[in-house]
Amino acid sequence: MTISRARLILLACASGLLYPLSFPAFDLGAVAWFALVPLHIAVEYLSPGRAFRIGWLSGTLAFTGSMFWVITAMNVYGKVPFPIATLVMLLLTIYLGLYMAVYAGGLSWIRTTFPTLGFLPAPFLWVTLELIRTYFLSGLPWALFGYSQYQWLPIIQLADHFGVYGVSFLLVLVNAALAETMIWGFKAYRGFQIRSFPWPSSVAATAGFGVALFYGTTLLSSAQHAPTRTLSVGVVQPNVEQAQKWDVAFRQETMARYDRLTAGLGDNLDLIVWPEAATPFVFEMEPQYRAVVNDMARRAGAPLLFGSPALRRHPDGRPFLLNSAYLLATDGQILGRYDKQHLVPFGEYIPFHNSFLFFLDKLVEGIGDFEAGPGSTLLMFKPREKNPPTVTAATLTDFHVKFGVVICYEVIFPNLVRQFAANGADFMVTVTNDAWFGPSSAPYQHFGMVVFRAVENHVAFARAANTGISGFIDPYGRVVQQSPIFTQEALRGTIAVSHQQTFYSQYGDLFAYACAILIALLCLTGYFSHDTEPAGGEPAGRPA
């Protein structure tokens, strides 16, 4: 059985257009459960080489729709000319489309080599490629398939064992089973001689979905009754325009805005959080403005966490910057500092700057000479005295809480956040400046990823954005409070303090690596024992 070139292209385009609809700000998460069905149907009728090309088309469309905001960030805020910004975005999405190309080509090869397996290897291959995308060339795990389900809390609870990759696995498993069932139906309708209904993939998808839903529903129900110690936290969203953020003439207004919003949080807070690069100056290098920040912390009566660049020097005297978050006590003492460890390529540094990308130094406005921090540093403070919900040996001692901070882009890396939880973080804070994204889907996509970091590690998150979304997320991914974007906000919330470690916190991406090992073994077996290209070239349709 064959299918026309035009229909194959339409099928590829269908998946490419459906994929971004499942992510914010479209938020049609239900679409993800069938978005890849057209691509799988196309793969059934193609050789690995042609499947690769069709997958590349589908993937390029999918990531262009998911990451169109790159043009806004580069053109409006980075001052890169629009044609160049568009070209950079297309180069990025063409690169990301390669992962879907490899998926389609690889799945076709596996189907040719192991026809009895059906589409069962599909989710293992997909997760393997998502894992590679997370780490290869600094990593860009944006728009991983599982993130599309950030609003469906019962389904995503399995991330506490398998990470976001587990949700991606389930989505692809269901897509593959639906596609295989449809292919079987097409062949049966046309009178082709086929063996039987594709039970293995259908049973696996139904069982996987059922177990995930049961586990998540049960976990959320039991979590409602678990006693927890809580903290009162305030977050400030000043909404300082990007063009004014580092304008010396606007410093007084910026600090006055922080002062007003911080005062509006009220009293009896355990912690106040300002966003990434909150101070429009280098905190340690400006005594006059440092005194202003110290005074705000004193009047607020709570430790203040805020972002500010830190200037350091190499042994040879060359200066460099750190993107830092300071924890300031009410008496002005610096209780700790976290330095961002995973920097943004083309935002905080230019990769290959000394070789073939030297010209970007004159094109991209605002790229600093930042360097990475040392690692997952925990910060610690003593909260206000109050009666704990349960009395234990721990609460009878001098109680301090430890927390981790991730700055902006870092929160999209599952293993990076996991390291804070594994090291004993009681809760997490993420600070960001999403003004770079403008009024696009990116702030909503960025916020949705924080939901998964909370679920994976069962830690609450407080999030402060220059403009956002700011808000609070509980240890099970429930959004307790969130702000609109491009507004001035002062949010006060209560977050849980817990020190339980999930399976994911302890073992990380074990599931994803297991998928990669299985795919590697399958490929090695197929390579050494099967001819990858059947005689006659194009397959005429495989048995269901």
Side-chain angles (χ1 to χ4, degrees), residues 19 36 100 103 122-130 145 168 172:
Y19 189 90
L36 297 181
M100 202 172 289
Y103 172 75
F124 296 92
L125 179 58
W126 184 277
V127 168
T128 299
L129 291 167
E130 285 198 339
F145 205 19
S168 295
V172 176

Side-chain angles (χ1 to χ4, degrees), residues 353-366:
H353 177 242
N354 294 325
S355 54
F356 60 91
L357 293 183
F358 64 92
F359 62 92
L360 284 181
D361 192 31
K362 300 184 182 300
L363 285 175
V364 183
E365 183 178 289

Side-chain angles (χ1 to χ4, degrees), residues 23 30 49 66 124 138 149 254 261 312 377 464 474 479 495 505:
F23 293 94
S66 304
F124 296 92
S138 176
Q149 303 306 300
T254 297
L261 292 170
R312 296 292 183 268
T377 305
D474 83 355
V479 178
I495 65 171
S505 299

Side-chain angles (χ1 to χ4, degrees), residues 218-234:
T218 304
L219 185 64
L220 289 173
S221 178
S222 62
Q224 294 177 354
H225 310 292
T228 56
R229 176 184 282 272
T230 61
L231 297 175
S232 296
V233 179

Side-chain angles (χ1 to χ4, degrees), residues 47-344:
S47 66
R50 291 191 64 196
F52 179 91
R53 294 191 291 272
I54 285 293
W56 202 351
L57 169 63
S58 185
T60 300
L61 286 174
F63 287 107
T64 299
S66 304
M67 304 188 71
F68 194 76
W69 51 264
V70 170
I71 295 176
T72 302
M74 296 193 70
N75 174 241
V76 178
Y77 299 101
K79 305 305 180 186
V80 177
F82 182 80
I84 296 178
T86 303
L87 177 61
V88 170
M89 187 273 295
L90 288 174
L91 290 174
L92 176 63
T93 57
I94 287 170
Y95 158 70
L96 293 174
L98 274 172
Y99 288 93
M100 202 172 289
V102 173
Y103 172 75
L107 186 58
S108 175
W109 181 84
I110 291 171
R111 288 279 279 159
T112 302
T113 310
F114 302 99
T116 58
L117 292 180
F119 277 134
L120 280 178
F124 296 92
L125 179 58
W126 184 277
V127 168
T128 299
L129 291 167
E130 285 198 339
L131 181 67
I132 293 171
R133 181 153 67 91
T134 299
Y135 293 100
F136 183 63
L137 292 178
S138 176
L140 185 57
W142 197 281
L144 298 182
F145 205 19
Y147 288 136
S148 63
Q149 303 306 300
Y150 80 102
Q151 292 180 316
W152 196 359
L153 296 182
I155 281 292
I156 70 173
Q157 296 308 311
L158 60 89
D160 66 3
H161 281 73
F162 309 122
V164 64
Y165 307 109
V167 183
S168 295
F169 183 97
L170 182 60
L171 283 167
V172 176
L173 179 61
V174 171
N175 273 270
L178 288 174
E180 197 163 10
T181 301
M182 291 179 68
I183 292 167
W184 175 86
F186 296 154
K187 292 178 179 179
Y189 177 76
R190 292 173 178 268
F192 279 79
Q193 295 297 316
I194 57 176
R195 296 178 184 176
S196 64
F197 184 80
W199 289 109
S201 61
S202 299
V203 170
T206 303
F209 183 84
V211 168
L213 192 59
F214 175 78
Y215 174 75
T217 302
T218 304
L219 185 64
L220 289 173
S221 178
S222 62
Q224 294 177 354
H225 310 292
T228 56
R229 176 184 282 272
T230 61
L231 297 175
S232 296
V233 179
V235 298
V236 171
Q237 177 175 293
N239 190 33
V240 178
E241 292 184 17
Q242 195 62 35
Q244 298 173 322
K245 187 168 181 59
W246 299 104
D247 186 348
V248 174
F250 200 73
R251 276 188 183 182
Q252 296 289 348
E253 167 58 27
T254 297
M255 299 313 297
R257 191 173 297 184
Y258 277 112
D259 194 11
R260 174 175 54 81
L261 292 170
T262 302
L265 291 169
D267 300 324
N268 300 321
L269 286 167
D270 294 302
L271 178 68
I272 297 170
V273 184
W274 292 357
E276 175 190 18
T279 62
F281 48 84
V282 178
F283 177 71
E284 293 177 306
M285 305 292 291
E286 299 272 2
Q288 176 186 353
Y289 287 102
R290 179 171 178 171
V292 172
V293 178
N294 290 346
D295 183 59
M296 290 187 199
R298 178 188 60 78
R299 287 187 283 112
L304 172 64
L305 180 77
F306 64 93
S308 181
L311 180 65
R312 296 292 183 268
R313 293 186 180 276
H314 292 288
D316 62 2
R318 290 181 297 112
F320 65 92
L321 292 169
L322 297 167
N323 188 347
S324 302
Y326 290 84
L327 180 62
L328 191 67
T330 54
D331 62 0
Q333 177 187 357
I334 297 176
L335 299 177
R337 190 187 82 233
Y338 168 71
D339 302 320
K340 188 176 183 180
Q341 54 184 308
H342 198 125
L343 302 177
V344 182

Side-chain angles (χ1 to χ4, degrees), residues 155-164 166-167 215-216 219 452-458 475-476 500-508:
I155 281 292
I156 70 173
Q157 296 308 311
L158 60 89
D160 66 3
H161 281 73
F162 309 122
V164 64
V167 183
Y215 174 75
L219 185 64
F452 271 84
R453 302 295 87 83
V455 173
E456 287 164 350
N457 303 286
H458 286 180
Y476 298 91
Q500 59 174 324
Q501 290 194 358
T502 65
F503 182 90
Y504 184 80
S505 299
Q506 297 177 70
Y507 301 105

Side-chain angles (χ1 to χ4, degrees), residues 430-499:
T430 177
V431 294
T432 187
N433 176 22
D434 284 0
W436 288 101
F437 297 140
S440 68
S441 61
Y444 303 96
Q445 293 174 4
H446 202 191
F447 185 75
M449 297 183 217
V450 186
V451 170
F452 271 84
R453 302 295 87 83
V455 173
E456 287 164 350
N457 303 286
H458 286 180
V459 292
F461 266 82
R463 188 176 198 256
N466 172 43
T467 187
I469 301 160
S470 301
F472 303 97
I473 298 171
D474 83 355
Y476 298 91
R478 290 174 286 222
V479 178
V480 179
Q481 202 173 356
Q482 70 179 82
S483 69
I485 64 174
F486 294 108
T487 61
Q488 296 179 35
E489 301 284 341
L491 303 180
R492 180 179 179 130
T494 300
I495 65 171
V497 175
S498 62
H499 195 60

